[in-house]
Amino acid sequence: MGVSGFIRGFNFLHRTKPRISVYPSGYIQRRAFSDSKLLDSNDSVLPVLIVGAGPVGLVLSVLLSKFDFEKVVSPISVAHFSQYKLTRLLVKLLENLGFCICTSEGPESLDHEPLKGREILMGHECVSIDITDQCVTATVSFSKEGESMTRKIQSKILVAADGAGSTVRKLVGIDLKGENDLQKLVSVHFLSNDLGRYLLNERPGMLFFIFNAEAIGVLVAHDLKQGEFVLQIPFYPPQQSLEDFSPEICKKLIFKLVGRELSDVNVIDIKPWVMHAEVAERFVCGNNQIILCGDAAHRFPPAGGFGMNTGIQDAHNLAWKIASVLKGVASSSILATYETERKPIAIFNTALSIQNFRAAMAVPATLGLDPTIANSVHQVINKGVGSILPSSMQKALLDGIFSIGRSQLSEFILNENNPLGSSRLAKLRHIFEEGKSLQLQFPAEDLGFRYLEGALVPDSKDVVPAPQLPTGRRRDYVPCADPGSRLPHMNVRVLSKFQSEETISTLDLVSGDKVEFLLIIAPVEKSYNLAQAAFKVAKEYKVSIKVCVLWPAGIVTRFQPESKVTVAPWKNFINVIEVKRSADSLSWWKTCQMTELGAILVRPDEHIAWRSKPSVIGDPYSKMKMVFSTILGIESINIRNNVLNI
């Protein structure tokens, strides 16, 4: 499958010099192209064009490439990891999948050559979009030998993964809803082995909120062993400018925050950014031809780490649907279910991020440094009586007010012998003891999110519950097999006629390299009949399906040939047996809150498309025909005669 993507700059691959970004993160500079050169190319229509090559766009490229039957590495475990390092790994993975990184200069330039797919175009920017029934045409700009040039790229589907300031979103006229401009900050990426060793030995941690009478900031320790950090500092323009955050000034701020001078601070990057909490009004437009993904569709406060995680969930949800449409096995209407399923999750995570951000701000507020008051003071200076003052006086006034505010953190005030300080410290202890400060782990939201409608079949008697409201508190993940939920994890052992039998997760039963549904059944006669019907319908619909026969623990110890007989002539099946952690662990079907007479159909994105709690009543073939036509968004009368070998 041909997939191309481009970005406006690729500087994360080369961070060798201190750099100061001129615009806030996501800001797109508009330019006129009346004097630019337009290159006419013989590009064919690409299947998919991804605008933006950040983590979300790159993950979507990887997933779409996997659904072209490529072999890829297994997923890695969860880790606290710098985004630019993750981006490098994703780029390398795409290179291993046959992608070519192309620039507008040098031998890799493709400015006069047609695109074939699997290219990452560095230094290219989308500047206009034209939509017809046949394709989407994106006009992109780039610089060639100092001269501004443009070219047109055609694709069947265009995915906007171009970040919070998405140009594509603006070009198609999709608005954002929510709270904007919650906080302005400056992000300082720096290295210091000295600080890393100190924290590793004395105060190991990942996130440090630092408040003292000289400076305020949030220090994120990306890697203590390598001494890699990101410092977030409140930013109040126009009284403050980027010149106030030069590498040397940032070093001094770091020393003030750490409380000691460091011998080896190396400032890598300095850039301002604005915190928003907004969700796009639409995720899909243009007859399902243009799709917003990641930060282009939603932008959150960083509290809780929902931004990139939610974006990668978007890509996981979207990839198999795009692949199904391009392969002709699903109607383009299935792409609309991407918005149906993902937008409620984005709205929920936005609200949760806001709650978590405000919980974090309760700490400085308790210490006498209420951020809302600071922002109000800033507004008065900008729009009130302070606005008539010369800019130098505005800056001096702001610095003076903030200096007075930070004095609340002096040892003279903040001690047990001072009634005011003692009261504040007591309130602070209460916040921490009650767990009312910033939360970093949200297992229920990370793993337990559920799609209530979309490319799935709800239980026939299921009353769809109202979406839960976020509480801001940690909730444990409770596995279940409700339609729309993520497939629960359980260790199982693959039954084989060979001596070596592999232990895997139930999640590993879902194919990682092709669009394939998974039907999980127990070894009972009615379920075998259902599997036969599922194979037959899948063949008619040109859909790949695998059947998993899941045996209870202790029933069998070796390969069971009867499954091969009962599902013949179909061959795409697997026998596995539960591997319990302890004797009192729940069985698979009890974990799923079902009986062994039930069945579970899993989508390629590991979410449950349909289930039958009891055995299927009536004709299993008709049932499976209804299930697949509903999921794929096609009518039974439109089934093609061409079939897929299974």
Side-chain angles (χ1 to χ4, degrees):
M1 181 181 298
V3 182
S4 287
F6 62 90
I7 58 174
R8 187 173 60 93
F10 220 40
N11 53 39
F12 52 74
L13 291 179
H14 306 283
R15 292 178 177 265
T16 56
K17 298 180 180 179
R19 180 175 63 85
I20 299 180
S21 300
V22 178
Y23 302 105
S25 175
Y27 181 91
I28 301 297
Q29 183 179 16
R30 296 302 183 95
R31 294 176 293 173
F33 292 95
S34 57
D35 60 346
S36 64
K37 289 190 176 180
L38 177 63
L39 294 177
D40 293 323
S41 66
N42 296 317
D43 291 351
S44 58
V45 178
L46 297 170
V48 184
L49 177 66
I50 300 174
V51 179
V56 174
L58 294 174
V59 167
L60 181 58
S61 298
V62 171
L63 292 173
L64 285 171
S65 298
K66 288 165 60 177
F67 294 147
D68 193 30
F69 304 95
E70 297 285 349
K71 293 186 180 298
V72 297
V73 298
S74 299
I76 61 172
S77 59
V78 176
H80 175 65
F81 203 58
S82 300
Q83 180 171 317
Y84 81 93
K85 290 182 178 178
L86 174 61
T87 302
R88 286 176 175 174
L89 290 178
L90 292 172
V91 170
K92 185 63 177 177
L93 177 57
L94 286 171
E95 287 181 310
N96 292 338
L97 289 172
F99 275 71
C100 176
I101 298 178
C102 308
T103 65
S104 57
E105 307 279 355
E108 301 90 358
S109 173
L110 293 177
D111 53 335
H112 291 288
E113 298 180 17
L115 298 177
K116 300 177 182 178
R118 293 182 181 254
E119 294 105 351
I120 298 177
L121 307 182
M122 296 167 52
H124 291 62
E125 179 181 5
C126 180
V127 294
S128 70
I129 294 172
D130 182 59
I131 308 172
T132 66
D133 291 339
Q134 288 74 37
C135 67
V136 179
T137 301
T139 301
V140 303
S141 71
F142 59 95
S143 177
K144 178 74 171 180
E145 297 178 350
E147 190 173 10
S148 178
M149 310 185 81
T150 64
R151 73 179 298 169
K152 295 184 182 295
I153 303 176
Q154 294 182 323
S155 61
K156 295 179 181 178
I157 297 169
L158 186 149
V159 179
D162 52 340
S166 172
T167 299
V168 174
R169 186 185 65 232
K170 296 171 184 175
L171 288 172
V172 297
I174 296 179
D175 293 327
L176 295 165
K177 276 192 173 182
E179 300 182 45
N180 66 350
D181 201 359
L182 290 171
Q183 181 80 55
K184 293 182 176 69
L185 300 108
V186 168
S187 176
V188 182
H189 180 198
F190 72 95
L191 303 176
S192 173
N193 285 317
D194 190 4
L195 179 58
R197 285 191 297 269
Y198 166 72
L199 292 176
L200 196 60
N201 294 326
E202 302 294 332
R203 305 186 68 179
M206 186 271 287
L207 194 61
F208 301 85
F209 287 78
I210 307 172
F211 309 96
N212 62 46
E214 292 189 277
I216 293 172
V218 178
L219 184 67
V220 184
H222 279 309
D223 192 324
L224 289 178
K225 292 183 179 179
Q226 294 185 4
E228 182 181 12
F229 302 89
V230 172
L231 176 63
Q232 305 289 357
I233 308 167
F235 182 42
Y236 295 94
Q239 291 76 25
Q240 293 179 337
S241 67
L242 277 182
E243 284 70 27
D244 297 316
F245 296 92
S246 66
E248 285 304 315
I249 292 175
C250 285
K251 284 183 182 180
K252 292 178 181 178
L253 281 171
I254 292 167
F255 297 161
K256 290 178 180 179
L257 288 166
V258 173
R260 55 187 286 244
E261 290 202 3
L262 302 168
S263 60
D264 61 349
V265 172
N266 179 18
V267 176
I268 305 297
D269 190 25
I270 303 168
K271 62 183 178 183
W273 63 282
V274 184
M275 185 187 300
H276 303 286
E278 298 175 304
V279 177
E281 291 186 333
R282 290 177 292 159
F283 284 19
V284 181
C285 69
N287 195 27
N288 302 325
Q289 294 168 285
I290 296 181
I291 304 169
L292 306 186
C293 196
D295 285 353
H298 42 72
R299 47 193 193 181
F300 313 142
F306 289 103
M308 187 171 65
N309 287 308
T310 305
I312 290 175
Q313 291 170 8
D314 291 344
H316 201 200
N317 181 286
L318 184 58
W320 74 273
K321 295 175 181 179
I322 290 178
S324 297
V325 171
L326 295 178
K327 291 175 182 293
V329 302
S331 162
S332 64
S333 64
I334 197 174
L335 299 177
T337 68
Y338 163 72
E339 177 177 321
T340 303
E341 294 177 353
R342 292 303 304 164
K343 187 176 178 182
I345 304 299
I347 292 172
F348 182 94
N349 287 351
T350 302
L352 184 56
S353 296
I354 292 174
Q355 287 183 347
N356 208 26
F357 167 67
R358 288 177 176 155
M361 293 302 98
V363 172
T366 300
L367 295 173
L369 296 172
D370 192 331
T372 59
I373 295 178
N375 291 335
S376 297
V377 169
H378 187 225
Q379 288 297 316
V380 169
I381 294 176
N382 282 339
K383 300 178 180 179
V385 294
S387 61
I388 65 175
L389 299 174
S391 58
S392 59
M393 290 187 65
Q394 290 184 31
K395 179 177 174 59
L397 178 61
L398 187 71
D399 290 344
I401 292 173
F402 286 171
S403 179
I404 294 172
R406 290 194 303 271
S407 68
Q408 303 293 310
L409 301 170
S410 67
E411 293 183 6
F412 174 75
I413 295 177
L414 207 59
N415 67 78
E416 295 292 353
N417 296 323
N418 184 308
L420 178 60
S422 178
S423 173
R424 288 176 175 175
L425 290 172
K427 290 178 181 178
L428 189 62
R429 282 192 293 268
H430 178 74
I431 288 174
F432 292 137
E433 289 168 359
E434 295 295 318
K436 294 181 178 179
S437 61
L438 177 73
Q439 302 293 306
L440 295 178
Q441 295 184 356
F442 292 89
E445 288 71 25
D446 290 337
L447 299 176
F449 61 92
R450 178 188 176 192
Y451 305 135
L452 300 181
E453 55 181 333
L456 52 89
V457 182
D459 288 342
S460 57
K461 296 181 181 179
D462 190 14
V463 178
V464 178
Q468 281 190 312
L469 297 176
T471 64
R473 306 270 66 80
R474 175 193 168 105
R475 295 187 299 121
D476 289 331
Y477 164 60
V478 179
C480 73
D482 296 335
S485 299
R486 188 169 183 264
L487 179 68
H489 157 74
M490 174 178 279
N491 283 330
V492 293
R493 191 174 77 252
V494 179
L495 295 174
S496 169
K497 55 187 175 182
F498 303 104
Q499 287 188 347
S500 59
E501 293 184 337
E502 184 182 9
T503 297
I504 61 174
S505 166
T506 48
L507 297 171
D508 295 324
L509 296 169
V510 181
S511 176
D513 55 11
K514 59 182 174 179
V515 179
E516 181 179 78
F517 287 82
L518 172 71
L519 181 66
I520 301 177
I521 62 172
V524 296
E525 182 179 357
K526 288 187 176 181
S527 295
Y528 283 130
N529 294 337
L530 181 69
Q532 288 272 7
F535 275 126
K536 185 176 181 181
V537 171
K539 182 177 181 180
E540 293 173 355
Y541 278 83
K542 301 199 325 181
V543 175
S544 179
I545 187 171
K546 177 170 64 179
V547 169
C548 171
V549 184
L550 201 152
W551 295 76
I555 299 298
V556 295
T557 57
R558 53 183 294 276
F559 176 68
Q560 297 296 303
E562 53 262 37
S563 292
K564 183 176 181 180
V565 174
T566 51
V567 299
W570 314 103
K571 298 180 180 179
N572 194 18
F573 71 93
I574 185 173
N575 283 280
V576 300
I577 185 171
E578 298 172 344
V579 177
K580 287 193 172 185
R581 290 174 296 176
S582 62
D584 57 352
S585 296
L586 293 178
S587 69
W588 166 253
W589 296 107
K590 285 187 177 179
T591 297
C592 295
Q593 303 171 36
M594 297 172 61
T595 72
E596 66 174 12
L597 298 178
I600 299 172
L601 182 67
V602 187
R603 306 188 321 191
D605 64 351
E606 300 176 359
H607 281 259
I608 294 169
W610 167 82
R611 69 166 174 188
S612 175
K613 278 191 172 181
S615 57
V616 171
I617 299 175
D619 178 23
Y621 173 78
S622 298
K623 171 62 73 173
M624 295 313 301
K625 205 167 186 178
M626 180 279 294
V627 167
F628 276 104
S629 64
T630 300
I631 295 167
L632 299 174
I634 54 179
E635 299 293 336
S636 300
I637 59 173
N638 291 332
I639 302 175
R640 298 178 179 86
N641 292 325
N642 296 329
V643 297
L644 179 70
N645 291 327
I646 299 181

